[in-house]
Amino acid sequence: MSLSWPWALLALLVIPLVFAVWWLTRRRRRRAVVRVTSIALVRTAVAGRSRWRRRIPAALLTLGLAVLAVGAARPQATVPVASSSATIMLALDVSGSMCSTDVKPNRITAAEQSASAFIQSQAGGPRIGLVAFASTAVVLVPPTADTKQLLSALGGLTTSSGTAIGEGIVTSLDAIAQVDPSVAPTGATVSRDRGTGYADDVIVVLTDGSNNRGIAPQTAAKQAADRGVRVFTIGYGTDNPAPLACSPAQFGGGGGGGGGFGGFGGGGGAGNPFDANYGALMQISRTTGGTFYRAQDAGQLSGALTKLPAAFTIVRKHLDLAPWFAAGGGLLIAAAVALSLWWNRTQRRPAVP
């Protein structure tokens, strides 16, 4: 639990002040006591009260004042809340290194299969959009619940040169802004309270390389963090060099009958020229509140995607507890006053005939 106005706890000083006033009042009453010759007469005239009856109202009053003071400090609790309107943007790297065969049959095919299985598992749930990035980034499918459209776009992925991770993030942010008014598009001035929690929207970046085009990934991550959009990153592929081999359909839009990739040589046995920058990916996730995953093969990639829905569908919201503290404190004080009046009521005795 956190406090929005911690300085309001100074109101707790009212409690010793109340007790000081009570003590002074009681002391004056003792000085004004009239001496009597028989204590039995006093006991007869004044209704008896046990010690606990005197202390319970005082304890309730003290507790009520303390609860009100804490409520004045605006306490907030962070609670997990199920998201009802989440948007997931899958930003997929389609650079040339995705033709590497260190993941069988090659990285891009395994990524397509894992992403397809993930999309099918989310049918009827959050909206999903697709972004592909190489030297630049493009929205393949805006956020939608149309599973067939998403699967069709995945089946048509083609590779290109360059790796623009930052561009993939900002392009995903703008796609989210189109369907979620609470997320400002990139370039807009953002003023977001730090205690408002995360947005219902997330970005998943799957890449096997290091950024070498466009906006810096950390700059893009800062824009996502300013909007409360978490970025989950997946570092894909092994560190072992392997031949690059793509099918004609995966190679730059269908050209190049042998299935190689540009100057990197396809089935000719050239090694993978790119390595994922895992440190940068971890920093992106850390900045935005997301999580980094390492996937060295198709099984680990599918496992990473399987773990993500719990993070997507459960968001943490800040709940204002001040009204509950105010109600509780008021009830305690009312109970203290009621008990005090009830136990101190004048007991009328029947008149002697």
Side-chain angles (χ1 to χ4, degrees):
M1 186 178 69
S2 60
L3 301 176
S4 298
W5 301 341
W7 51 266
L9 291 177
L10 292 174
L12 290 171
L13 297 177
V14 172
I15 296 176
L17 180 62
V18 170
F19 274 96
V21 172
W22 170 80
W23 181 81
L24 289 174
T25 303
R26 187 178 181 184
R27 187 177 182 183
R28 289 180 180 179
R29 286 180 178 177
R30 285 181 177 178
R31 290 180 178 178
V33 170
V34 178
R35 293 182 179 180
V36 295
T37 57
S38 174
I39 194 65
L41 293 175
V42 176
R43 291 176 177 174
T44 302
V46 180
R49 283 192 304 158
S50 62
R51 182 174 299 177
W52 65 269
R53 284 192 175 187
R54 294 195 301 270
R55 291 181 176 177
I56 286 180
L60 290 176
L61 177 62
T62 302
L63 183 59
L65 292 175
V67 170
L68 286 179
V70 175
R74 299 297 300 274
Q76 291 186 336
T78 303
V79 296
V81 179
S83 172
S84 59
S85 58
T87 297
I88 303 171
M89 290 302 301
L90 293 178
L92 305 179
D93 187 344
V94 292
S95 61
S97 56
M98 289 293 283
C99 288
S100 175
T101 54
D102 61 337
V103 179
K104 303 301 180 182
N106 61 12
R107 291 181 181 179
I108 192 169
T109 300
E112 288 175 0
Q113 293 170 349
S114 296
S116 296
F118 172 75
I119 290 172
Q120 290 174 319
S121 71
Q122 298 301 302
R127 297 168 298 197
I128 299 178
L130 287 178
V131 167
F133 64 90
S135 60
T136 186
V138 61
V139 177
L140 298 180
V141 181
T144 180
D146 189 339
T147 301
K148 291 183 178 180
Q149 183 183 6
L150 293 165
L151 296 179
S152 176
L154 273 177
L157 292 180
T158 58
T159 55
S160 184
S161 60
T163 304
I165 298 174
E167 295 291 338
I169 295 174
V170 296
T171 301
S172 298
L173 282 174
D174 286 332
I176 290 172
Q178 293 292 322
V179 296
D180 187 350
S182 69
V183 176
T186 57
T189 302
V190 178
S191 57
R192 182 181 179 87
D193 295 334
R194 300 186 65 180
T196 55
Y198 296 119
D200 293 343
D201 316 296
V202 298
I203 299 171
V204 180
V205 175
L206 186 154
T207 181
D208 67 342
S210 302
N211 190 83
N212 54 29
R213 297 285 194 281
I215 186 172
Q218 192 55 35
T219 302
K222 180 64 167 58
Q223 293 199 43
D226 290 342
R227 291 159 176 77
V229 177
R230 293 166 292 168
V231 180
F232 295 79
T233 56
I234 300 176
Y236 185 39
T238 70
D239 298 325
N240 303 319
L244 303 178
C246 276
S247 69
Q250 294 170 334
F251 172 52
F261 180 80
F264 303 123
N272 178 6
F274 299 122
D275 289 322
N277 189 341
Y278 303 123
L281 296 178
M282 291 178 186
Q283 186 60 37
I284 291 171
S285 294
R286 189 179 303 115
T287 299
T288 61
T291 305
F292 167 77
Y293 297 93
R294 180 77 168 89
Q296 299 189 67
D297 54 38
Q300 291 181 1
L301 177 57
S302 296
L305 291 173
T306 300
K307 295 176 183 177
L308 293 174
F312 295 155
T313 56
I314 301 297
V315 296
R316 306 193 73 81
K317 297 289 187 180
H318 291 277
L319 180 64
D320 189 2
L321 302 179
W324 295 96
F325 276 79
L331 288 174
L332 288 171
I333 293 176
V337 173
L339 288 176
S340 181
L341 292 175
W342 176 259
W343 284 336
N344 288 282
R345 69 190 187 282
T346 302
Q347 294 186 0
R348 299 180 180 275
R349 296 181 179 277
V352 180

